[in-house]
Amino acid sequence: MENKSKDFLRRIVEEDLNAGKYNEVVTRFPPEPNGFPHIGHAKSIAINFGIAKDYQGHCNLRMDDTNPTTEDTQYVEALKDAVQWLGFEWDKNVRYTSDYFPKLYAYARELIKMGKAYVDSTSEEEMRELRGTVTEAGKRSKYAERSVEENLELFEKMKKGEFKDGEHVLRAKIDMSAPNMKMRDPLLYRIRHAHHFRAGDEWAIYPMYDFAHCLSDYIEGVSHSICTLEFENNRDIYNWVLDTLGLKPIRPYQHEFARLGINYTVMSKRKLLELVEGGQVNGWDDPRMPTIAGLRRRGYTPESILNFCDSIGVAKANSMVDVAQLEFAIRDDLNTKVPRVMCVMNPLKVTITNYEGSEEIEAPYYPHDVPKEGTRKLPFSKEIYIDQSDFSQNPEKGYFRLTPEQPVRLKYAYIISCKEVIKDDKGNVVEIKAEYHPDSKSGKDTSGIKVKSAIQWVESNIAKQIEVRLYDRLFKTEAPESVEDLNPNSLKIIKDALIEPAVIDEKPDVRFQFEREGYFYADPIDYTDEKPIFNKIVGLKESSSKKKKAPKQTAKPQPKKVQIDGEVVPMTTEEQALFDNYTNNLKLNSEVANTLARDAQLSAFYQEALEAVNSPVGIANIVTNDVARELKQKELNELNYTPKQIAELMKMVDDELISTKIAKQVFEEMSKSGEEPTKIVESKGLVQISDPDIILPIIDEVIAKNPENVEKFRAGNTKLLGFFVGQVLKATKGKGNPKVVNELVARQLG
Ligand code: ATP
Ligand code: MG
């Protein structure tokens, strides 16, 4: 909890603990099992379970099942699933309000005996009239004069089912002129001849929320009953019931926080049920639904949802959160976690006329600044596919990809130039004849050819065909009212996208970044090896329709637009000059140069760092990745570090004092604490290990633990070198000098 300003609920909890009001913090998450939980419930789950966890208390999961006609066990399961998937554990068994029906009934009889509750037999309509208005006091029903005995007898008959629905109700006798209308003799019980999914047909009466909730909290020993703002006026009843029954000394108090609303979606179980029943979506777990099951199927991680809940904060004012903030959270989470691979959505054949034979190109799954290891082989031959959008015959100014005049790099492979454009009789481009530049191979490029971007591609014979489901927002309007507002293009299916084979054969993960396209998730239900299906989780940057109108935010500002390689927006002259300098003189790759050149704030930051330490590539990478990511959420003057400190950090990497992986860790620490990088490295003992005497025993241990892989390696599967290096680096907690580890591992295995 350190470093984070506490929200008002946690402050209340702390005050109560300090005052000795409770020995233990007990919260509860009390959903009604009448639909699948949505992202709003995630907020409530994060708050209730989060607070219990932070203060070593516990949180109950309670099904608030007092409404027999709308509830169902499938919803109970969905709620349990959601809590567990988010990583929380409820205390003991799942609780049910229906389990307390006998106790609640006894409490109601108590109130009757105290003359504090009565059976009312006026019609619903008359009851409404008698209630008065905000400016006018109400009048008490004549039935309020019934004797205790009569009330007890009628109440028992109600329970046994001797009356019809609506014939009588049980009401609290409070105050018909109370300014809070809810206190004008609120209903405690009503008659319902309905089968209950757990209690069966035992009860013909069901308690109202206002009666059942506070008592259930009390029965469970809840200390802090946290609910959403719309219950603010119910708090008086909550207190009245507990106080009138004299339930002391330790009893729960209710605290309210703002409900989460997100634009471009609806957020009540009732409205979501309508979509499911109306067939507008494919069930509760449709990846377009704001349900936890839907987000999960779409590919959201629990971490991203919890981070999102954290980022929106806990407040007392209702507000609408931009869905972009949720999308930011998953992008931010996956950015450093998932493998990056190549997929071509709309294939265009390219024949490389001067290439013979075939080869395999080893390519990393993760960019070098991500603390993960692993590579795969990309088959390459004279016949490949690129994306249709990566070739243009009549390019607009600022088009960076392949044109008849402009060469482009095939990511990880060669630079190609277009030699001939082949069209069908309708004039559509169906094939490109190209030539590759043999001395331009990525990493060993001596060709001197300048390109402005690198594009994804796949080899034609070995690529795998996949189905891709592209999801967009479910509604086209920001505050949807009805099905009229549904976005007709919320689902697009591409049946014949092509993907590099390792994704299907090696399955390094279930979530991927498809380079330049976005983040994707192997559909957990429909995916088969014969027919792989991927869901688009989110694009790489904020989608454009959202940028036009930015709704108000609760906490953090909306993530700023990020420029990604290959955009068609032309650069200004100054930007172009920077870009040229970056690529020609500082040898930055075009993607990094592009990001820097187009962002004045970033390029200024970069410049200043560079003046302190001359490490152009290293600094550029950290600035475009880590600093840029922070600047999406913060202003420049809110950063905890200066350009000079970033430069110092990179200097330690250049001097091989620390590895890039550790640099990442140090950066996180700098960003949190504002401490000097050298101090962090010193005080945490993060100095890189290059001493073979320390590394060799670790290598021997890893080798001893993985005899099968050693055998495979020695039989010729040299791909496994990366595996061993990875294991050793992991064992050194990332402190091993990768270069030294690589050499030593190769030596020990060879
Ligand atoms: P819905 O209208 O979607 O059915 P609800 O409030 O009726 O929602 P419950 O199942 O009764 O849903 O809610 C369980 C808990 O989740 C309650 O404490 C409720 O306040 C909380 N909750 C529900 N929706 C939201 C939301 N949008 N934001 C924050 N908390 C929510
Ligand atoms: Mg509800």
Side-chain angles (χ1 to χ4, degrees):
M1 301 242 30
E2 68 288 354
N3 275 329
K4 213 165 70 175
S5 59
K6 289 181 189 105
D7 56 71
F8 80 96
L9 291 171
R10 284 177 169 80
R11 282 202 301 272
I12 292 172
V13 168
E14 283 187 12
E15 272 166 32
D16 288 348
L17 286 176
N18 290 339
K21 196 160 159 187
Y22 304 103
N23 289 326
E24 194 191 2
V25 175
V26 182
T27 56
R28 83 290 168 264
F29 171 60
E32 184 183 353
N34 62 349
F36 273 54
H38 47 64
I39 181 84
H41 290 102
K43 177 176 179 183
S44 180
I45 291 170
I47 290 174
N48 280 298
F49 284 92
I51 287 180
K53 203 170 183 173
D54 284 351
Y55 297 95
Q56 290 86 48
H58 63 260
C59 180
N60 296 342
L61 173 59
R62 183 200 310 149
M63 300 299 154
D64 193 13
D65 56 348
T66 54
N67 189 354
T69 54
T70 55
E71 293 156 5
D72 196 284
T73 46
Q74 67 154 321
Y75 302 135
V76 172
E77 291 311 311
L79 284 155
K80 284 158 65 176
D81 250 21
V83 172
Q84 280 172 330
W85 183 70
L86 286 171
F88 294 110
E89 262 174 65
W90 54 85
D91 181 67
K92 304 195 184 87
N93 302 323
V94 175
R95 331 257 169 148
Y96 294 85
T97 304
S98 56
D99 287 349
Y100 311 139
F101 282 173
K103 280 190 185 159
L104 298 177
Y105 182 74
Y107 281 126
R109 285 176 50 91
E110 271 310 288
L111 286 179
I112 294 174
K113 284 186 212 157
M114 295 164 90
K116 296 287 184 188
Y118 61 96
V119 174
D120 193 358
S121 314
T122 41
S123 68
E124 219 175 298
E125 201 185 328
E126 196 181 344
M127 210 179 283
R128 208 175 307 123
E129 272 164 29
L130 287 171
R131 222 168 146 229
T133 65
V134 244
T135 50
E136 234 178 286
K139 283 196 207 75
R140 189 160 272 157
S141 145
K142 60 178 189 254
Y143 297 105
E145 299 311 311
R146 279 176 170 149
S147 68
V148 169
E149 290 67 35
E150 194 184 351
N151 278 321
L152 285 174
E153 199 186 314
L154 281 170
F155 188 46
E156 190 174 352
K157 285 185 175 164
M158 281 167 66
K159 170 187 180 265
K160 286 187 179 155
E162 295 183 15
F163 304 112
K164 287 201 287 292
D165 284 10
E167 227 178 308
H168 308 284
V169 291
L170 185 74
R171 295 180 78 173
K173 197 182 223 173
I174 307 181
D175 180 0
M176 288 306 290
S177 57
N180 177 357
M181 300 274 292
K182 298 239 173 192
M183 292 293 273
R184 297 187 183 176
D185 290 11
L187 264 54
L188 303 181
Y189 271 92
R190 63 190 163 159
I191 301 172
R192 270 283 166 103
H193 289 270
H195 182 82
H196 188 280
F197 77 104
R198 294 189 82 247
D201 299 307
E202 197 191 332
W203 297 83
I205 52 171
Y206 289 91
M208 304 301 288
Y209 171 89
D210 282 324
F211 185 66
H213 204 85
C214 52
L215 288 168
S216 303
D217 284 345
Y218 175 77
I219 292 166
E220 291 178 9
V222 166
S223 60
H224 297 82
S225 179
I226 299 166
C227 63
T228 36
L229 275 179
E230 70 271 21
F231 292 101
E232 202 168 2
N233 288 337
N234 302 60
R235 195 195 322 133
D236 287 342
I237 312 180
Y238 190 102
N239 289 333
W240 182 90
V241 172
L242 297 183
D243 291 344
T244 306
L245 287 166
L247 301 175
K248 280 190 270 189
I250 296 175
R251 65 113 156 151
Y253 284 88
Q254 175 183 309
H255 309 276
E256 310 89 21
F257 70 95
R259 215 178 165 80
L260 168 65
I262 294 189
N263 58 4
Y264 295 101
T265 192
V266 291
M267 191 96 97
S268 95
K269 284 177 270 157
R270 188 179 50 78
K271 287 188 185 160
L272 295 171
L273 177 64
E274 281 169 20
L275 296 175
V276 172
E277 290 186 333
Q280 277 94 8
V281 294
N282 302 315
W284 284 101
D285 70 345
D286 186 303
R288 292 165 293 181
M289 290 279 270
T291 51
I292 297 177
L295 291 164
R296 177 177 176 180
R297 176 127 186 227
R298 174 97 166 237
Y300 273 77
T301 57
E303 295 79 10
S304 66
I305 292 185
L306 294 175
N307 286 343
F308 167 73
C309 291
D310 209 41
S311 79
I312 56 176
V314 186
K316 269 228 171 235
N318 278 322
S319 68
M320 190 64 99
V321 172
D322 192 339
V323 64
Q325 203 167 332
L326 180 61
E327 293 168 352
F328 173 82
I330 182 65
R331 207 180 282 127
D332 194 46
D333 187 39
L334 298 183
N335 180 39
T336 55
K337 273 191 189 164
V338 301
R340 297 186 186 181
V341 298
M342 296 200 283
C343 173
V344 172
M345 296 280 173
N346 301 298
L348 171 63
K349 187 168 157 187
V350 176
T351 305
I352 305 170
T353 52
N354 63 339
Y355 186 92
E356 285 309 324
S358 65
E359 66 184 289
E360 283 192 321
I361 300 170
E362 178 140 5
Y365 271 128
Y366 308 95
H368 61 88
D369 60 323
V370 163
K372 280 196 165 186
E373 314 265 334
T375 62
R376 83 286 195 185
K377 294 258 162 70
L378 298 167
F380 186 82
S381 78
K382 70 184 302 169
E383 202 175 284
I384 62 166
Y385 284 98
I386 66 171
D387 200 88
Q388 282 166 21
S389 67
D390 286 338
F391 172 76
S392 173
Q393 219 174 351
N394 309 300
E396 286 178 46
K397 193 165 173 282
Y399 186 83
F400 282 179
R401 296 158 279 169
L402 188 64
T403 74
E405 281 75 41
Q406 180 171 268
V408 78
R409 173 172 299 284
L410 299 173
K411 183 135 193 169
Y412 301 121
Y414 301 95
I415 294 174
I416 55 168
S417 296
C418 170
K419 292 294 165 189
E420 192 187 340
V421 180
I422 298 172
K423 296 181 181 174
D424 63 12
D425 36 5
K426 293 191 204 91
N428 300 316
V429 179
V430 290
E431 187 184 342
I432 307 282
K433 301 255 190 229
E435 283 183 5
Y436 86 117
H437 300 271
D439 51 358
S440 67
K441 194 158 176 191
S442 195
K444 314 181 190 128
D445 184 358
T446 55
S447 69
I449 302 169
K450 301 249 151 44
V451 288
K452 294 203 174 126
S453 78
I455 61 171
Q456 73 271 31
W457 55 275
V458 293
E459 197 279 337
S460 74
N461 292 305
I462 307 179
K464 307 267 180 179
Q465 191 167 325
I466 61 169
E467 176 177 316
V468 178
R469 297 174 179 169
L470 301 172
Y471 296 104
D472 197 354
R473 328 199 154 87
L474 190 49
F475 290 92
K476 57 180 187 239
T477 48
E478 249 190 275
E481 302 272 338
S482 68
V483 291
E484 311 271 282
D485 296 323
L486 281 163
N487 170 9
N489 303 315
S490 58
L491 171 59
K492 263 193 228 131
I493 299 180
I494 297 184
K495 295 249 178 223
D496 47 8
L498 293 173
I499 199 157
E500 55 167 284
V503 173
I504 311 300
D505 296 339
E506 288 179 14
K507 295 191 178 44
D509 205 331
V510 287
R511 295 183 184 83
F512 297 89
Q513 182 187 112
F514 291 177
E515 303 248 16
R516 302 173 68 240
E517 294 286 355
Y519 292 98
F520 292 79
Y521 180 49
D523 188 276
I525 293 174
D526 296 340
Y527 184 106
T528 61
D529 277 343
E530 292 66 49
K531 194 182 171 202
I533 297 177
F534 289 87
N535 298 325
K536 179 166 184 178
I537 310 171
V538 69
L540 290 176
K541 55 182 174 159
E542 223 181 298
S543 63
S544 54
S545 53
K546 212 172 311 158
K547 285 179 214 152
K548 291 176 206 140
K549 208 168 150 205
K552 277 219 193 90
Q553 296 284 305
T554 31
K556 289 178 185 169
Q558 170 178 3
K560 286 177 201 153
K561 178 180 147 189
V562 199
Q563 192 67 46
I564 309 272
D565 180 53
E567 266 297 289
V568 277
V569 189
M571 285 189 186
T572 63
T573 335
E574 296 88 64
E575 287 168 354
Q576 188 66 49
L578 279 176
F579 180 87
D580 291 344
N581 178 39
Y582 291 156
T583 47
N584 298 339
N585 304 327
L586 302 179
K587 303 285 176 239
L588 304 187
N589 77 39
S590 56
E591 203 169 320
V592 169
N594 191 22
T595 308
L596 280 178
R598 287 175 183 272
D599 188 320
Q601 215 177 23
L602 279 189
S603 52
F605 191 102
Y606 177 58
Q607 197 56 42
E608 209 179 319
L610 208 55
E611 274 158 25
V613 173
N614 185 28
S615 177
V617 176
I619 295 178
N621 285 331
I622 194 163
V623 171
T624 48
N625 287 298
D626 307 274
V627 178
R629 190 172 328 117
E630 274 208 76
L631 283 176
K632 281 178 229 157
Q633 297 271 313
K634 288 183 184 160
E635 294 305 319
L636 197 56
N637 60 13
E638 289 175 318
L639 295 181
N640 265 335
Y641 44 79
T642 61
K644 191 155 166 269
Q645 286 173 325
I646 293 296
E648 280 162 12
L649 176 63
M650 279 326 294
K651 184 160 188 315
M652 290 191 282
V653 177
D654 289 349
D655 294 347
E656 293 196 8
L657 200 64
I658 58 171
S659 63
T660 43
K661 217 175 258 189
I662 293 294
K664 190 98 188 157
Q665 204 177 316
V666 176
F667 173 82
E668 298 301 333
E669 190 59 40
M670 288 163 69
S671 132
K672 256 192 253 154
S673 67
E675 184 85 60
E676 289 287 337
T678 46
K679 288 249 174 64
I680 296 170
V681 170
E682 239 169 67
S683 67
K684 302 213 159 181
L686 294 174
V687 175
Q688 177 154 280
I689 306 169
S690 305
D691 184 349
D693 287 345
I694 303 176
I695 296 173
L696 280 170
I698 300 176
I699 294 179
D700 292 341
E701 202 173 306
V702 169
I703 287 180
K705 262 198 219 150
N706 296 282
E708 278 173 24
N709 280 344
V710 173
E711 213 168 285
K712 282 189 206 155
F713 177 85
R714 292 189 172 141
N717 188 352
T718 49
K719 252 197 332 205
L720 285 167
L721 186 67
F723 162 80
F724 285 105
V725 170
Q727 292 293 310
V728 174
L729 287 176
K730 203 163 139 196
T732 63
K733 300 206 166 61
K735 287 195 277 183
N737 180 334
K739 225 180 0 185
V740 177
V741 170
N742 242 302
E743 281 167 20
L744 293 176
V745 168
R747 202 175 83 194
Q748 296 300 93
L749 282 172

